[in-house]
Amino acid sequence: MTEQVKFEKRDTLKEKPDNSNLGFGQYFTDYMLSYDYDADKGWQDLKIVPYAPFEISPAAQGLHYGQAVFEGLKAYKYNDEVVLFRPDENFKRINNSLARLEMPEVDEDVLLEGLKQLVDVERDWIPEGEGQSLYIRPFVFATEGILGVRASHSYKLLIILSPSGAYYGGDTLKSTKIYVEDEYVRAVRGGVGFAKVAGNYAASLLAQTNANKLGYDQVLWLDGVEQKYVEEVGSMNIFFVENGKIVTPALNGSILPGITRKSIIELAQDLGYEVEERRVSIDELFEAYDKGELTEVFGTGTAAVISPVGTLRYEDREIVINNNEPGEITTKLYNEYTGIQNGSLEDRHGWRFVVPRY
Ligand SMILES: *Cc1c(COP(=O)(O)O)cnc(C)c1O
């Protein structure tokens, strides 16, 4: 299965950006992976092509009715070795998202092979500084130009690559301020909360902007029915340390099943911590805080890996967790996770996928 993917070379390569000031998602590499679906032929024409704008019908269904899903993962470079972290999980999840939006599933192995070849072509774009990486964005959207409301008969899948800086601008584990959203909700059970679909983000932006205006970094969402139980943060899952136990909301259909979440649960168990996946009410957290039992809070996601939460605001109450410092368990898990990624700790679960030189 190491057939060479078709490769359309560009005449001149782009100038690479200054690696000391990359930010996130601002620069794109020379090439992207492209794959097209048509109801008659299925998925076809997998190829590496120049990164460039393309034409699309003004009636493309993805623009009107939101058939659009995406993924996010990273490639890291350590001592000339390029590594992807659990990419198989991302392709499994993209298929779950596609199925929910009545979009055609893809062959996960074909995509993984295409991605490895693309990343191999672009290895010189991967920044090697502390915390830097090549952010990988696979996405699929409906392209059929017809306004009837039904599943599109054609789709495009692209994978684009963006060299990105350290999430905290070089500082590891900087604490964030979180606003518990009590008006809007992100998702409801039976909806699309568990799928990584574009529309979930569209629905979240207003609350995010409002929280930013009040001086908070991100929103913590409550459940869509009672607005009582904790779900997740903007683009991260959420964990609490209560009485030395690690607690996180159970996946319930409206929470996005993060791959970092899943990995952190496994690592925490490896390290001997008890992990509870269950319903967690916002009242429980404030009560635990008052008793001195809520000692750490952190978010998990591909972008930051682990993001300690220093401040939580709910209605008119604001609490400061662990003096705004990353806690002991948070730090231990971060070191374990990043140690496995960079190869300094044993990869006992087989999570590192080394990109070969083709
Ligand atoms: C992508 C995402 C996450 C984090 O998932 P990872 O696989 O850990 O990166 C969490 N919540 C939402 C809403 C997301 O879109």
Side-chain angles (χ1 to χ4, degrees):
M1 237 291 339
T2 44
E3 212 176 303
Q4 211 74 21
V5 172
K6 207 162 103 198
F7 184 14
E8 289 176 13
K9 284 205 174 158
R10 53 193 297 157
D11 297 332
T12 51
L13 297 181
K14 296 194 225 178
E15 201 173 313
K16 297 196 175 48
D18 171 8
N19 278 353
S20 66
N21 192 23
L22 289 170
F24 174 75
Q26 300 188 60
Y27 301 98
F28 298 95
T29 66
D30 290 304
Y31 294 99
M32 59 187 184
L33 189 74
S34 167
Y35 208 15
D36 289 309
Y37 178 90
D38 157 312
D40 297 329
K41 300 183 209 129
W43 284 106
Q44 36 141 5
D45 205 16
L46 181 69
K47 58 191 176 187
I48 294 170
V49 296
Y51 178 94
F54 51 86
E55 286 194 348
I56 183 171
S57 163
Q61 290 193 316
L63 299 177
H64 298 269
Y65 307 127
Q67 273 187 305
V69 311
F70 68 98
E71 271 302 325
L73 67 158
K74 286 174 169 177
Y76 302 87
K77 200 188 224 177
Y78 305 105
N79 307 318
D80 231 28
E81 183 180 61
V82 175
V83 174
L84 301 169
F85 197 75
R86 308 191 81 177
D88 51 331
E89 292 286 337
N90 291 91
F91 293 134
K92 238 189 256 171
R93 188 169 64 189
I94 206 170
N95 272 338
N96 291 337
S97 302
L98 288 169
R100 179 62 182 84
L101 293 197
E102 188 57 8
M103 296 164 76
E105 292 175 45
V106 287
D107 184 319
E108 294 159 27
D109 296 330
V110 168
L111 263 198
L112 181 55
E113 184 57 35
L115 173 62
K116 285 196 219 160
Q117 293 190 25
L118 174 68
V119 171
D120 178 46
V121 166
E122 301 290 48
R123 18 179 104 236
D124 290 347
W125 280 88
I126 309 178
E128 280 183 84
E130 174 81 29
Q132 298 181 329
S133 60
L134 184 70
Y135 183 78
I136 300 168
R137 167 55 58 85
F139 60 111
V140 189
F141 56 96
T143 53
E144 190 184 359
I146 180 169
L147 292 180
V149 180
R150 59 153 170 77
S152 173
H153 292 162
S154 61
Y155 298 88
K156 186 179 274 298
L157 180 154
L158 294 172
I159 301 183
I160 58 176
L161 308 175
S162 175
S164 294
Y167 192 75
Y168 303 107
D171 265 0
T172 42
L173 289 176
K174 192 165 158 285
S175 289
T176 54
K177 291 181 75 173
I178 301 280
Y179 184 88
V180 182
E181 177 58 43
D182 57 4
E183 183 181 358
Y184 303 109
V185 299
R186 188 190 87 97
V188 291
R189 267 166 246 172
V192 294
F194 71 90
K196 217 166 167 78
V197 309
N200 284 339
Y201 276 78
S204 75
L205 297 177
L206 179 56
Q208 170 75 32
T209 303
N210 290 344
N212 292 159
K213 281 186 193 151
L214 292 171
Y216 296 88
D217 301 307
Q218 295 215 41
V219 163
L220 176 63
W221 297 103
L222 299 178
D223 74 277
V225 180
E226 295 173 77
Q227 289 184 259
K228 208 168 128 182
Y229 299 98
V230 171
E231 298 244 303
E232 61 177 305
V233 182
S235 55
M236 293 191 294
N237 295 107
I238 188 90
F239 287 77
F240 307 96
V241 179
E242 267 186 73
N243 268 329
K245 254 192 279 184
I246 299 173
V247 181
T248 191
L251 299 179
N252 59 3
S254 50
I255 294 174
L256 197 287
I259 296 160
T260 319
R261 174 188 182 277
K262 177 173 169 172
S263 308
I264 286 292
I265 290 173
E266 289 180 59
L267 290 183
Q269 286 166 341
D270 289 351
L271 293 174
Y273 293 106
E274 199 178 321
V275 183
E276 287 180 0
E277 295 180 70
R278 58 171 171 82
R279 281 216 299 201
V280 184
S281 73
I282 190 72
D283 291 341
E284 166 189 332
L285 294 174
F286 278 73
E287 280 161 29
Y289 181 81
D290 288 334
K291 287 191 261 174
E293 294 171 354
L294 181 70
T295 50
E296 301 181 39
V297 180
F298 58 91
T300 63
T302 294
V305 178
I306 287 187
S307 188
V309 175
T311 305
L312 258 189
R313 154 91 179 265
Y314 177 54
E315 295 180 336
D316 44 20
R317 199 168 166 209
E318 185 172 276
I319 58 177
V320 172
I321 293 125
N322 198 43
N323 275 324
N324 249 321
E325 298 289 329
E328 186 192 318
I329 296 176
T330 307
T331 308
K332 221 189 243 181
L333 289 169
Y334 178 82
N335 290 338
E336 188 77 15
Y337 195 98
T338 51
I340 292 175
Q341 274 181 338
N342 69 29
S344 64
L345 296 178
E346 192 202 336
D347 177 22
R348 48 188 190 274
H349 297 287
W351 288 344
R352 297 172 101 235
F353 285 55
V354 175
V355 175
R357 288 180 188 274
Y358 287 89

